[in-house]
């Protein structure tokens, strides 16, 4: 476990801010941590300071949950008095909170951050936990059990004379396996005292300090962290250009910041020319070269990627080398990579297998494709033909849907989804309609669901099944209504199964869950399997359903359905 991960995890309590529809504000946030570490009798220490203006904004709300958005504006980070790159701390993020329990259900970031960096942002959110205190009776001190990234602990809350709230962590009760502490003793709370002030919108002030120590069971590692945290409401207006304020209320539709923005790389160092690059690449065993080495080689020489088309066409590379090359070029995700992959796909003189692989490489694109490339792919895909060309055309549409999903919420994604819908409305070929429905499902763009829904009543079951699957990839009340309405009148077993699986991707009411249980019994195997799969999805947010699933085990005779039930009961 790294020192940075420890100091961000151990001293910050778990929770959220008070959600009010009109409450958007910001405040001065600062945390200072001193870490002393002893590893194999070798001491080390560091001093870390993070500060900035923390913006809080309520987002989408339903009866079951609500989303809260946060962003640290102009953060600064200093390690041992030296400025450190703090770009990732300014990424907007959102937390999904259970309306009743106030527990964290999920989180979402406006960029694909590394797991450790996600935890750093979540630690900021966790440090401002106050929401549960709004309804807590503090006429007398109240002892609660809470958890953070280290484990479960006891904490006591009491009311001060000025109506502020005093919080003191008492002791850890258990460690959390996911915190990589299985080989560590129970964390020791040496000191913990925080004062919080609330208003109707939530936290207006927090200050305090924590001192926590963790030691390995062997005694060869000891980590000691002293941390101070401060937050104070700032009454000045938030700049309208703040990124969080420009994003939509549904964080799952936020456009994603590029990897280049989140993790800027040093300037590329290309070889002398394209021929030298190709020669070097040919001299390597691409199928066994490490991913890091190959990625760096392609990054440094991305301006020469176009020269690889002739190499691919020459068939001088082994099949395994080509397979890996297409994947790594796709992950390069530069304008040069996009151009090469589209050029290969469009060239009828190149083997169909390699043209298909070029499309699979495009699936990794996190950056919008040049509109001209999108137009070329769209135009080519209209020429459906037969056999191999038809399969390539269908694959191209579905890949465009995936790329749109990678940029969900952006203008690029919206434009691609609209163009896919336009083609869907213009074609009468069922095989073409199936691939376009799949592409729209891949995009996850719920604004196009009204054009997918009519296919739930198509004469061909395959179209109805694909429409159900696609709507299941954009769960929301309207798509759920389309699905449940069709299920009530659907007779085809395979289509019933597709509808049930799609319905399960939504957050269902108790009555709707009861409906799933009715399909899990006295129905054909295909339907029962789908109902169990849908119920398994529901157990993620509602583990209380598992006893009802266990009751089904006693009645079920089919081995495949039994395996599905056991997986639903025990996999989470």
């Amino acid at each position: 476990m790294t020192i940075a991960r420890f100091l961000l995890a151990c001293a910050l309590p778990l929770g959220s801010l008070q959600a009010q529809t009109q409450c958007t504000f910001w405040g001065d946030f600062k945390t200072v941590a001193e870490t002393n570490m002893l590893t194999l009798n070798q001491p080390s220490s560091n001093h870390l300071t993070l500060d900035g203006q923390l913006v809080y904004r309520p987002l989408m709300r339903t009866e079951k949950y609500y989303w809260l958005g946060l962003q640290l504006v102009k953060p600064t980070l200093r390690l041992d008095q030296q400025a450190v790159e703090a770009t990732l701390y300014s990424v907007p993020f959102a937390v999904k909170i259970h309306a009743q329990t106030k527990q964290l259900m999920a989180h979402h970031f406006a960029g694909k951050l590394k797991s450790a960096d996600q935890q750093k942002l979540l630690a900021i959110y966790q440090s401002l936990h106050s929401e549960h205190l709004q309804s807590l009776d503090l006429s007398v001190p109240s002892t609660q059990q809470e958890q953070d990234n280290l484990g479960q602990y006891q904490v006591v809350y009491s009311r001060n004379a000025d109506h502020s709230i005093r919080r003191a962590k008492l002791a850890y009760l258990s460690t959390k396996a996911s915190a990589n502490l299985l080989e560590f003793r129970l964390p020791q709370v040496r000191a913990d005292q925080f004062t919080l002030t609330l208003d109707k919108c939530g936290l207006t002030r927090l200050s305090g300090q924590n001192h926590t120590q963790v030691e390995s069971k062997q005694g060869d590692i000891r980590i000691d962290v002293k941390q101070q945290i401060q937050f104070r409401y700032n009454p000045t207006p938030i700049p309208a250009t703040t990124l969080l304020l420009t994003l939509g209320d549904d964080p799952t539709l936020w456009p994603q910041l590029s990897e280049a923005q989140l993790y800027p790389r040093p300037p590329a160092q290309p070889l002398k020319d394209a021929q030298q690059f190709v020669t070097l690449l040919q001299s390597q065993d691409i199928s066994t070269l490490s991913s890091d080495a190959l990625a760096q080689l392609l990054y440094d020489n991305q301006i020469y990627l176009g020269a690889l088309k002739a190499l691919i066409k020459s068939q001088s590379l082994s099949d395994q080398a080509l397979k890996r090359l297409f994947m790594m070029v796709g992950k390069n995700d530069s304008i040069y990579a996009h151009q090469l992959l589209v050029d290969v796909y469009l060239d009828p003189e190149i083997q169909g297998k390699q043209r298909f692989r070029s499309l699979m490489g495009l699936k990794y694109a996190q950056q919008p494709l040049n509109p001209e490339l999108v137009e070329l792919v769209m135009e080519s895909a209209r020429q459906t033909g037969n056999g191999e060309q038809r399969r390539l055309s269908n694959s191209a549409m579905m890949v465009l849907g995936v790329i749109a999903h990678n940029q969900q919420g952006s203008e690029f994604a919206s434009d691609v989804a609209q163009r896919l819908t336009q083609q869907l409305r213009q074609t009468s070929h069922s095989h073409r309609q199936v691939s376009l429905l799949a592409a729209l499902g891949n995009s996850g763009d719920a604004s196009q669901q009204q054009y997918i829904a009519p296919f739930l009543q198509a004469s061909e079951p395959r179209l109805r099944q694909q429409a159900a699957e696609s709507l299941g990839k954009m769960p929301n009340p309207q798509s759920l209504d389309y699905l449940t309405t069709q299920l009530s009148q659907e007779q085809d077993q395979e289509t019933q199964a597709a509808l049930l699986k799609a319905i399960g991707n939504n957050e269902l009411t108790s009555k709707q869950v009861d409906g799933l249980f009715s399909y899990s019994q006295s129905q054909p195997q295909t339907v029962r399997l789908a109902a169990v799969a849908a119920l398994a999805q529901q157990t993620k947010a509602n583990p209380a359903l598992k006893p009802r699933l266990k009751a089904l085990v006693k009645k079920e005779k089919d081995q495949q359905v039994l395996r599905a039930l056991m997986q639903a009961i025990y996999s989470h």
Side-chain angles (χ1 to χ4, degrees):
M1 182 178 62
T2 65
I3 295 175
R5 182 185 176 97
F6 174 81
L7 67 89
L8 284 166
C10 68
L12 302 179
L14 177 68
S16 64
L17 297 164
Q18 176 67 20
Q20 297 289 340
T21 304
Q22 302 301 322
C23 295
T24 296
F25 62 91
W26 68 349
D28 304 317
F29 176 84
K30 183 176 183 178
T31 179
V32 180
E34 292 185 13
T35 303
N36 291 287
M37 188 169 181
L38 187 67
T39 306
L40 300 177
N41 295 320
Q42 295 296 317
S44 62
S45 63
N46 67 49
H47 184 279
L48 184 144
T49 302
L50 171 68
D51 59 19
Q53 297 288 326
L54 183 65
V55 180
Y56 159 69
R57 175 191 166 199
L59 300 171
M60 183 172 66
R61 173 185 288 269
T62 71
E63 291 183 2
K64 293 184 177 181
Y65 64 84
Y66 50 87
W67 285 93
L68 311 172
L70 297 96
Q71 182 188 357
L72 199 59
V73 179
K74 295 182 178 179
T76 61
L77 183 66
R78 300 186 70 83
L79 181 62
D80 295 332
Q81 307 307 316
Q82 297 294 318
V84 179
E85 176 61 49
T87 301
L88 72 91
Y89 284 99
S90 63
V91 175
F93 65 102
V95 289
K96 184 180 182 182
I97 305 300
H98 194 284
Q100 300 301 319
T101 67
K102 311 301 182 186
Q103 295 300 309
L104 175 65
M105 299 173 65
H107 46 73
H108 191 82
F109 302 87
K112 295 192 175 182
L113 294 171
K114 300 173 183 176
S115 178
D117 293 335
Q118 291 182 8
Q119 293 303 317
K120 294 173 185 176
L121 288 181
L122 288 175
I124 296 174
Y125 145 72
Q126 292 166 351
S127 70
L128 301 179
H129 179 38
S130 63
E131 198 158 359
H132 63 305
L133 301 179
Q134 296 282 2
S135 57
L136 193 62
D137 181 9
L138 294 179
S139 57
V140 295
S142 175
T143 301
Q144 306 283 320
Q145 286 191 12
E146 298 178 1
Q147 65 177 4
D148 59 17
N149 290 336
L150 290 183
Q152 191 174 54
Y153 58 83
Q154 276 191 326
V155 59
V156 62
Y157 294 97
S158 56
R159 183 79 67 179
N160 296 320
D162 62 357
H163 299 292
S164 63
I165 297 172
R166 185 167 61 252
R167 172 198 183 283
K169 186 187 295 183
L170 301 178
Y172 278 89
L173 305 174
S174 62
T175 57
K176 190 174 182 180
S178 63
N180 297 323
L181 292 175
L182 292 177
E183 299 303 320
F184 281 73
R185 302 182 192 277
L186 202 65
Q188 299 297 305
V189 180
R190 302 305 184 191
D192 186 279
Q193 191 75 41
F194 285 87
T195 300
L196 305 89
T197 304
L198 311 177
D199 70 3
K200 65 178 182 178
C201 283
L203 189 68
T204 59
R205 180 176 295 187
L206 176 145
S207 63
Q209 57 187 353
N210 170 278
H211 180 188
T212 300
Q213 187 178 84
V214 170
E215 185 176 6
S216 65
K217 291 180 179 179
Q218 292 78 17
D220 55 347
I221 298 176
R222 185 171 67 248
I223 306 172
D224 187 279
V225 177
K226 296 178 181 178
Q227 186 169 24
Q228 297 177 345
I229 305 172
Q230 297 178 357
F231 175 80
R232 177 176 294 188
Y233 171 76
N234 186 335
T236 62
I238 305 171
T241 55
T242 300
L243 184 54
L244 179 63
L245 303 187
T246 68
L247 300 174
D249 285 342
D250 185 351
T252 64
L253 300 180
W254 284 356
Q256 298 287 285
L257 296 170
S258 70
E259 183 177 357
Q261 292 172 288
L262 299 174
Y263 302 106
R265 299 180 67 173
Q269 299 182 20
L271 296 169
K272 181 181 178 181
D273 53 36
Q275 183 57 53
Q276 195 174 47
F277 166 57
V278 172
T279 301
L280 176 61
L281 197 62
Q282 286 179 302
S283 70
Q284 305 289 324
D285 185 353
I286 297 175
S287 61
T288 59
L289 190 64
S290 74
S291 295
D292 288 344
L294 182 53
Q296 187 65 45
L297 179 61
L298 295 176
Y299 170 74
D300 283 336
N301 296 281
Q302 55 190 306
I303 59 174
Y304 303 138
L305 288 180
L308 295 182
K309 182 182 176 183
L311 180 64
I312 293 167
K313 207 167 183 177
S314 71
Q315 301 183 38
S316 60
L317 297 178
S318 71
D319 188 66
Q320 284 301 312
L322 281 171
K323 180 180 179 180
R324 189 147 185 263
L325 181 62
F326 278 117
M327 179 183 70
M328 296 302 292
V329 168
K331 290 184 175 182
N332 178 266
D333 199 19
S334 65
I335 57 174
Y336 308 101
H338 299 166
Q339 184 70 57
L340 169 65
L341 294 171
V342 171
D343 284 348
V344 171
Y345 160 66
L346 295 175
D347 193 335
E349 296 182 2
I350 295 178
Q351 277 187 318
K353 178 194 289 188
Q354 312 311 337
R355 295 172 66 192
F356 176 78
R357 285 173 171 171
S358 73
L359 291 174
M360 294 303 100
L362 274 177
K363 287 172 60 177
Y364 292 103
Q366 303 296 324
Q367 307 305 310
L369 268 62
N370 184 306
E372 293 181 1
L373 295 183
V374 175
E375 179 59 39
L376 287 170
V377 174
M378 287 275 191
E379 180 59 34
S380 172
R382 290 191 186 97
Q383 315 303 320
T384 55
N386 294 303
E388 182 176 83
Q389 181 56 46
R390 175 185 291 185
R391 289 191 293 273
L392 286 169
S393 296
N394 292 343
S395 297
M397 292 296 95
M398 289 186 277
V399 166
L400 285 177
V402 171
I403 298 173
H405 186 271
N406 292 344
Q407 277 292 305
Q408 198 168 51
S410 68
E411 183 177 347
F412 168 82
S414 178
D415 178 66
V416 170
Q418 289 176 17
R419 297 184 68 175
L420 290 170
T421 296
Q422 183 180 22
Q423 288 205 25
L424 177 64
R425 300 174 69 184
Q426 291 175 345
T427 185
S428 58
H429 299 291
S430 60
H431 67 85
R432 180 74 170 161
Q433 291 170 333
V434 167
S435 64
L436 286 165
L437 286 169
L440 284 168
N442 288 345
S443 77
D445 190 339
S447 67
Q448 306 301 314
Q449 63 187 355
Q450 61 181 312
Y451 304 108
I452 300 174
F455 288 90
L456 290 172
Q457 300 179 18
S459 59
E460 293 187 39
R462 183 69 189 93
L463 280 171
R464 302 201 300 276
Q465 293 161 25
Q466 184 58 65
E469 182 180 331
S470 296
L471 289 172
K473 292 181 178 180
M474 45 189 75
N476 64 80
Q478 184 59 60
S479 66
L480 178 58
D481 183 58
Y482 290 139
L483 294 165
T484 52
T485 298
Q486 181 61 28
L487 181 62
S488 66
Q489 60 194 39
E490 182 60 59
Q491 300 299 315
D492 179 74
Q493 294 178 14
E494 296 292 339
T495 307
Q496 286 178 335
L499 289 162
L500 286 165
K501 289 179 182 178
I503 287 170
N505 291 336
N506 293 266
E507 293 185 28
L508 303 179
T509 65
S510 58
K511 184 177 180 180
Q512 290 167 331
V513 169
D514 289 342
L516 290 181
F517 273 102
S518 70
Y519 278 95
S520 67
Q521 307 171 70
S522 303
Q523 294 286 340
Q525 183 213 48
T526 300
V527 175
R528 298 202 310 280
L529 277 171
V532 170
L535 287 166
Q537 290 292 95
Q538 298 304 302
T539 61
K540 295 177 182 179
N542 187 6
L545 295 176
K546 292 187 176 183
R548 295 180 66 181
L549 289 171
K550 289 180 180 179
L552 293 179
V553 173
K554 299 177 182 179
K555 303 175 183 178
E556 183 59 57
K557 303 300 182 183
D558 183 87
Q559 291 299 311
Q560 195 171 351
V561 179
L562 279 171
R563 284 195 296 271
L565 281 167
M566 298 301 285
Q567 185 176 5
I569 294 167
Y570 296 109
S571 64
H572 301 303

